[in-house]
Amino acid sequence: MRRLSLVAVAVVVGMVVWLPGVAGAQGLGIGPRFSFVRGEAASGTPSTKGVGGTLRSRSANHVAIEVALDYRSELNDDATVRHRETPLQGSLLIFPVRGTFSPYLLGGIGMYSETDQTLNPTSGLVLSTTSARKTGWHLGLGAELFVGRHAALFADYRFRFVSFGSAAEDEEAAGADPINIPGLSAIKLSHRGSMWTSGMAFYF
């Protein structure tokens, strides 16, 4: 897990550093993003919604790099616990065809940071804080629709915490869901949870 966390940090930092360098030549898109995360059925995790931003670089005609950050905050009913999540994802987007409407495949790695704060119900002051971080691969597909020369709407569906091969078999034994892709059953993919994302990118 620690090794995967270091890989995730390296990938995301590398994207952030590299994006501005290619932006001038290829186009950089910035805009808001909305996410809906489906909970895990096995663990009973509830579904959540979040808002954030996306940074997309059209590094080539059929390839784009995306770095996206979401934010979610929830307070329990008696206002004694605040739960916050800040998922950070780095993704490679592959466009088989380019046009006004462009479908794409995506894959990448994410860091999912969570913080729980215990609050004083009277004053609202923070009494204690606990934090956790998980990393994992994601796969999905989506589409981008240009509504002008410099603006595009997008939406995609992503499987989170994807495992491959023997790791997928271990995950399935632990309650993960298989990903059944026609013709790719030998890869043995599984996942824990999924998400919808949508938003708008303004290209410069």
Side-chain angles (χ1 to χ4, degrees), residues 83-88 111-115 131-134:
H83 178 75
R84 289 176 175 168
E85 298 180 35
T86 52
L88 175 64
M111 296 185 296
Y112 305 87
S113 301
E114 300 182 3
T115 301
S131 300
R133 176 178 294 166
K134 295 184 288 186

Side-chain angles (χ1 to χ4, degrees), residues 174-187:
D177 296 319
I179 302 176
N180 298 313
I181 301 177
L184 296 178
S185 58
I187 299 179

Side-chain angles (χ1 to χ4, degrees), residues 32-34 54-58 60-66 68 89 91-108 138-146 152-158 195-201 203:
R33 181 174 108 146
F34 306 93
T54 184
L55 190 66
R56 292 187 169 196
S57 168
R58 292 180 288 179
N61 190 38
H62 296 283
V63 178
I65 301 294
E66 179 196 67
Q89 293 182 331
S91 307
L92 176 69
L93 281 57
I94 299 177
F95 296 81
V97 295
R98 274 292 198 178
T100 302
F101 178 79
S102 302
Y104 58 81
L105 303 174
L106 68 90
H138 57 267
L139 294 173
L141 71 165
E144 188 176 62
L145 174 65
F146 271 84
L153 300 171
F154 65 85
D156 55 55
Y157 184 77
R158 309 179 183 210
M195 65 187 297
W196 285 98
T197 75
S198 62
M200 189 170 193
Y203 286 95

Side-chain angles (χ1 to χ4, degrees), residues 68-90:
L69 177 66
D70 295 328
Y71 176 80
R72 291 184 283 275
S73 179
E74 297 178 344
L75 192 65
N76 67 346
D77 293 336
D78 56 4
T80 57
V81 178
R82 179 185 291 118
H83 178 75
R84 289 176 175 168
E85 298 180 35
T86 52
L88 175 64
Q89 293 182 331

Side-chain angles (χ1 to χ4, degrees), residues 114-128:
E114 300 182 3
T115 301
D116 288 302
Q117 295 178 323
T118 301
L119 308 176
N120 184 307
T122 304
S123 64
L125 295 176
V126 178
L127 301 178
S128 63

